Amino acid sequence: TSRDTNAVFGAWQMGAGAHALQANLRHDDSSQFGSRTTGAIAWGYRLSPAWRVTASYGTAFKAPTFNDLYFPGFSNPALLPERSRNVEGGAYWNGAFAGTRLDASVVGYRNRLDDMILFVCDADFNCAPQNVAAATLQGVTLDVRFRSGTTAATASIDLQRPQDESGLLLPRRPRRHAALAIHQP
């Protein structure tokens, strides 16, 4: 009926010329799942006023929600928390043309998850969250942002290979995902 989580988090940032560095560390103590320590380190380098590149590595921990564990008819009280290791690299560009701001980025990533929590349905449509022992989400995200006056638009596409340890496509994880948003106040 309840769970307590105490956490402490610290971050350190440094800038030196064109370089930027950040390190994060977090410790969680869950009354249900025990203690976990996660962290990340990220580096960025400004190649020019318009171009920047980044690289990062991190670890993560995600406890199952109460709905994952106990929702009547759609839960699994035996779920384990997810753990992951993530690597990412990106290139970012920004510029302006005749009062129009344009930003673009490309980010490649590889996320390795242990005990990934997925909502799975069997052939009879009995559905519940399950742990996938090992999974990899690997791909690239392309993003473009535009602003002119009060009009803004964002477009992105994510191309990924979400698979389990045997190479099978993960359920409910698309290989391609795109989004387009236009904002006009």
Side-chain angles (χ1 to χ4, degrees):
T1 60
S2 70
R3 165 170 73 199
D4 292 322
T5 302
N6 296 310
V8 62
F9 172 81
W12 173 80
Q13 292 180 323
M14 179 195 86
H19 295 274
L21 186 64
Q22 178 173 329
N24 305 326
L25 193 62
R26 179 182 173 120
H27 180 78
D28 289 274
D29 186 14
S30 167
S31 61
Q32 187 173 14
F33 295 107
S35 293
R36 300 280 201 274
T37 300
T38 57
I41 187 162
W43 167 80
Y45 183 74
R46 185 154 302 277
L47 298 167
S48 71
W51 284 95
R52 177 174 53 98
V53 293
T54 64
S56 65
Y57 173 80
T59 60
F61 163 79
K62 177 186 166 194
T65 68
F66 280 113
N67 282 346
D68 290 338
L69 294 166
Y70 309 118
F71 192 85
F74 292 95
S75 61
N76 179 354
L79 285 175
L80 300 171
E82 288 183 357
R83 296 170 324 281
S84 66
R85 294 165 309 284
N86 314 295
V87 176
E88 183 177 289
Y92 302 82
W93 176 84
N94 60 58
F97 304 103
T100 300
R101 171 109 180 138
L102 186 62
D103 298 300
S105 64
V106 59
V107 176
Y109 59 89
R110 186 175 197 283
N111 302 333
R112 173 74 176 162
L113 295 99
D114 296 317
D115 296 319
M116 181 181 191
I117 299 170
L118 282 177
F119 198 74
V120 178
C121 299
D122 66 16
D124 297 322
F125 205 66
N126 296 309
C127 303
Q130 303 292 324
N131 285 114
V132 174
T136 302
L137 306 175
Q138 182 173 300
V140 64
T141 301
L142 306 167
D143 185 68
V144 176
R145 293 171 302 277
F146 158 92
R147 177 178 288 286
S148 181
T150 61
T151 303
T154 302
S156 66
I157 186 165
D158 191 43
L159 308 170
Q160 71 172 333
R161 194 170 56 221
Q163 59 191 29
D164 65 16
E165 62 192 333
S166 63
L168 296 175
L169 184 65
L170 294 170
R172 301 182 177 277
R173 296 287 176 155
R175 289 187 217 187
R176 290 171 296 283
H177 173 79
L180 174 65
I182 299 173
H183 310 276
Q184 178 69 49

